[in-house]
Structures are given as structure tokens and as C-alpha cells.
Amino acid sequence: MTAESTREVDWDGLKAAAVEAMGRAYAPYSGFPVGAAALADDGRLVTGCNVENAAYGVGLCAECGLVSQLHLTGGGKLTHFVCVNGNSELLMPCGRCRQLLFENGGPALQLMTVSGVRSMTEILPDAFGPDALDLS
């Protein structure tokens, strides 16, 4: 367990960062902007917003941008995560993004959800991840 995961987290501040990111979303086709914010295990704040494309299947979820920023700014693991919609309401990540979050945060990642703070193991039980692969 990291020092970041044991200290008190400012969930309101994290949500505010997600709302700010949502304000930069590019969602002209769905009209459904999404913003995400997370803390990394070294205390960095990383954010992301959804970016749509006229070829619908190649749009990027906010979590994709967030994980890209995580790696771009030094890597590490995500420890705490919030996602919001265009009305600044909490939003549960889709299945694809839950997998992405598990890969980059692990089972201890904490997510703020409409039903309170939940661990990644509660959000994605029996998850498939790097440990399931035989890379030897």
C-alpha cells in the first residue's frame, strides 16, 4: 500500500478536476461530454476527457486520455478515480474502461461512484489482467 492510498483524499477536489476536464471534451456527435480525474501513486493529478470522431468506433473515452496522461507524465499506478458526465454527475466507467483502469491501478484502485467509494475489485470482480498472462 502506498502513502498516497492511505492518506485522506479530497474527493470533492478530484471531482472538480474531472468537471474541468469534462469542459474540454470533444463530443459533437453524442452531445455527451465526459471528464475523468485520478491521483497517481506519487500524488500527481491526471485528467482526461472524451474525444469523439465521425467514425464512431474510433472515439476515445475520458479514461483513455487519463491513462495516456499517466504514462506521458511518468507512469506509476492510479490510486483514486472520479468520472463525471456533462451535468457534473458521477458516472460509472464502461466495461472497456474498467479493464483499462484495472490494468493501470490494480485491485486497490478506489473509485468514487454513485453508491460511494468502491475498490476496483468491487467494480470489476475476478478481473483479467497482466497476472493472468503467461509471459515467460
Side-chain angles (χ1 to χ4, degrees), residues 56-118:
Y56 294 151
V58 295
L60 299 173
C61 296
E63 296 87 343
C64 294
L66 181 145
V67 167
S68 182
Q69 189 181 70
L70 172 73
H71 290 281
L72 180 67
T73 61
K77 288 283 191 187
L78 300 173
T79 60
H80 300 85
F81 174 86
V82 175
C83 189
V84 298
N85 65 18
N87 294 321
S88 303
E89 300 164 334
L90 293 174
L91 186 64
M92 183 61 80
C94 70
R96 171 185 165 214
C97 289
R98 291 180 199 196
Q99 183 67 39
L100 187 65
L101 291 170
F102 179 81
E103 178 92 9
N104 290 278
L109 174 60
Q110 299 291 298
L111 292 83
M112 176 57 75
T113 73
V114 295
S115 57
V117 176
R118 300 284 183 250

Side-chain angles (χ1 to χ4, degrees), residues 1-2 5-6 8 18 25 28-29 33 41 52 55 63 69 71 73-74 78-79 90 101-102 108 116 124-126:
M1 186 164 288
T2 66
S5 63
T6 57
E8 187 65 30
Y29 307 108
D41 54 2
E52 294 180 348
E63 296 87 343
Q69 189 181 70
H71 290 281
T73 61
L78 300 173
T79 60
L90 293 174
L101 291 170
F102 179 81
L124 191 63
D126 302 320

